[in-house]
Amino acid sequence: MSDEYLLILDNPRTQYPSGFRDFFLEKFWSGKYRGIYYRPLVTLSYAFCWMISKDNPLSYHIFNLLFHLGVVVVLFFLSQRFLDRAGITTVSYTHL
C-alpha cells in the first residue's frame, strides 16, 4: 500500500475538508503513525488538487512543480535583497 492511498484516497480531510483551520490543527498521518509528522501545507495541497481533478496525478505533479518554482523565485529575490543590503554586489543582467 502506498502512502498516496493513505494520505489522499483514504483521507476524508483531503477529500472533504471541513475548514481551512483543520489543516493546521491535525497531524499528517492518521492511525498508529498519527503523531509523527506535522505538514499542513502538504495536506492543504492534496485537498486543493483533489478538488481540481480528484485522483488524476497530473494535477498533483503540476501543482508541485509550480509551487517549487515559486519558492525558487522568492528565494532568488530574497537573496538579491539581502546581498544588496550587505553591500555585496550581484551580477547585473541588464548589460548581457
Side-chain angles (χ1 to χ4, degrees), residues 26-84:
E26 298 291 327
K27 298 290 183 183
F28 188 64
W29 292 100
S30 60
K32 66 179 181 177
Y33 303 108
R34 184 174 180 356
I36 295 178
Y37 296 111
Y38 174 71
R39 296 180 177 173
L41 295 179
V42 173
T43 310
L44 185 63
S45 73
Y46 289 160
F48 178 73
C49 291
W50 181 265
M51 183 180 65
I52 291 173
S53 69
K54 303 293 183 220
D55 59 352
N56 182 0
L58 182 62
S59 69
Y60 296 85
H61 293 298
I62 291 173
F63 180 82
N64 279 322
L65 180 65
L66 293 175
F67 180 79
H68 285 91
L69 285 173
V71 169
V72 167
V73 169
V74 168
L75 285 175
F76 174 78
F77 286 113
L78 281 175
S79 65
Q80 290 289 339
R81 186 173 191 180
F82 288 131
L83 290 173
D84 288 343

